[in-house]
Amino acid sequence: MAPSAPRPSSPSSSLPSRTPAPVVPAAVKILIAGGFGVGKTTLVGAVSEVAPLRTEEYLTRASEGVDDLSGVDNKETTTVALDFGRITVNPELVVYLFGTPGQERFWFMWNDLVNGALGGVVIADTRRLDTSFASIDFFESRGIPFVVAINCFHGHNTRTADEIRAALDLDPQVPMLIGDVRVRTFGRDLLLALVDHLMELSAGAPVS
């Protein structure tokens, strides 16, 4: 009996193995807003996993009579465009933080920065609560969920939570946290509160 011919290898065995497609993480954009000198740049720097991108310039005499320095007399620099930071939650989710400029003359940039934002954080200073009204109105008018951070510089706070809520005229469902934005764990708690708030709103939204 003649020897049998060797069996040809199957097509699949001769093909190179496929490399799994790389996971492209989903991106979430969050705005950090508030009045001039309330701590937006500080918050982004405290929670970002990378060195934050900052667009700060020194205050000069040209800003005298234009920028309100009440309560922040020792402030030497100001954000003129935006602050940018990043947090990698897991390989499938990355959070990008965009800090808005606080001075009224730079508010026109908010309309560009808000595009694609999932939510926001409004930082308020109890010494100058009125400087946060514009940020709150901005998010409310565009239907963007937000949380409020009461930044207590050096632990200084002379108002109760109820007094602050009444002064800011906050909706009862808007989360408000009191702490120091220089502390990384407080920044983490703010972002977690925003995520919980977004999930609650999503769960309660009517099905179209």
Side-chain angles (χ1 to χ4, degrees):
M1 177 181 296
S4 60
R7 298 179 60 186
S9 59
S10 61
S12 60
S13 63
S14 61
L15 294 176
S17 59
R18 292 186 177 181
T19 302
V23 176
V24 179
V28 173
K29 180 179 182 181
I30 294 176
L31 286 192
I32 311 297
F36 178 51
V38 296
K40 300 181 296 296
T41 299
T42 301
L43 175 61
V44 173
V47 298
S48 177
E49 68 186 16
V50 297
L53 169 66
R54 294 172 175 170
T55 56
E56 290 191 307
E57 295 292 343
Y58 283 100
L59 291 169
T60 65
R61 290 186 176 180
S63 68
E64 293 181 0
V66 178
D67 296 328
D68 184 6
L69 298 179
S70 302
V72 287
D73 311 76
N74 296 326
K75 188 171 175 59
E76 298 180 348
T77 61
T78 181
T79 299
V80 296
L82 58 89
D83 298 310
F84 175 79
R86 185 189 72 195
I87 303 173
T88 301
V89 178
N90 57 49
E92 299 179 352
L93 179 62
V94 176
V95 176
Y96 294 105
L97 305 173
F98 288 79
T100 64
Q103 302 101 306
E104 185 174 353
R105 56 195 169 111
F106 295 129
W107 284 359
F108 68 91
M109 294 194 61
W110 294 12
N111 293 321
D112 292 328
L113 291 174
V114 75
N115 289 331
L118 189 64
V121 175
V122 175
I123 304 178
D125 179 355
T126 55
R127 301 170 299 178
R128 302 175 296 126
L129 286 177
D130 59 303
T131 62
S132 300
F133 293 159
S135 300
I136 293 173
D137 291 342
F138 180 79
F139 286 128
E140 288 181 342
S141 64
R142 286 160 177 77
I144 298 176
F146 65 95
V147 299
V148 174
I150 304 303
N151 187 17
C152 297
F153 292 87
H154 305 291
H156 179 73
N157 179 28
T158 59
R159 304 195 183 193
T160 67
D162 290 339
E163 289 174 341
I164 297 172
R165 277 191 170 276
L168 294 176
D169 193 24
L170 288 181
D171 189 294
Q173 69 174 349
V174 175
M176 187 183 75
L177 285 76
I178 300 177
D180 190 333
V181 297
R182 297 171 300 178
V183 180
R184 183 181 181 87
T185 53
F186 179 60
R188 176 203 62 192
D189 292 344
L190 282 170
L191 297 178
L192 289 175
L194 177 59
V195 171
D196 289 341
H197 185 44
L198 291 170
M199 293 176 64
E200 289 174 358
L201 294 176
S202 176
V207 179
S208 59

